[in-house]
Amino acid sequence: MIEKLVNKFEANSIQHLIIIFIIFAITGTGSVFISSPILIILSLEQLISYYPLYLFIRIILIVPIYQLLLILIASLFGQFNYFWKFEKKFLQRIKIIK
């Protein structure tokens, strides 16, 4: 099963796969923590009383923060090239780049 994950993520080894998962974990947690103060500054909770809309806008805000943070944290771990490929695939899927 672990070998399937190594192949799926195109990791070089199990250790590389662990580093990839650590980067994803730090990035996900960090993007949620960073988005909260931004939402407070924007006073979004007071502007939007409809909670599903608030969640939608929060997700829209978290996505670009996550993408930028992913590249930054990957660079700190020396994995910029791996995650830049990952980022290009994501941007191609949402039709930002060709």
Side-chain angles (χ1 to χ4, degrees):
M1 181 172 145
I2 291 180
E3 288 301 320
K4 286 182 182 180
L5 286 172
V6 169
N7 292 333
K8 178 161 180 67
F9 282 91
E10 299 174 9
N12 300 330
S13 64
I14 294 172
Q15 292 82 10
H16 187 224
L17 182 67
I18 291 169
I19 291 170
I20 291 168
F21 286 166
I22 289 170
I23 292 169
F24 278 128
I26 292 170
T27 303
T29 304
S31 63
V32 171
F33 280 125
I34 290 172
S35 71
S36 292
I38 292 172
L39 291 172
I40 291 169
I41 291 169
L42 296 175
S43 301
L44 231 69
E45 282 187 38
Q46 289 134 5
L47 294 173
I48 301 170
S49 59
Y50 186 58
Y51 190 69
L53 179 60
Y54 171 79
L55 286 179
F56 177 74
I57 291 174
R58 183 174 180 147
I59 290 169
I60 296 297
L61 179 67
I62 288 174
V63 170
I65 291 171
Y66 179 86
Q67 301 307 318
L68 292 172
L69 203 56
L70 183 63
I71 295 298
L72 177 67
I73 292 171
S75 297
L76 294 174
F77 276 83
Q79 296 296 316
F80 176 82
N81 290 333
Y82 176 86
F83 281 93
W84 184 243
K85 289 180 201 172
F86 179 84
E87 195 67 32
K88 285 194 287 189
K89 285 181 188 177
F90 172 77
L91 294 173
Q92 287 171 345
R93 285 183 186 147
I94 62 171
K95 307 288 188 213
I96 290 182
I97 64 171
K98 292 183 180 188

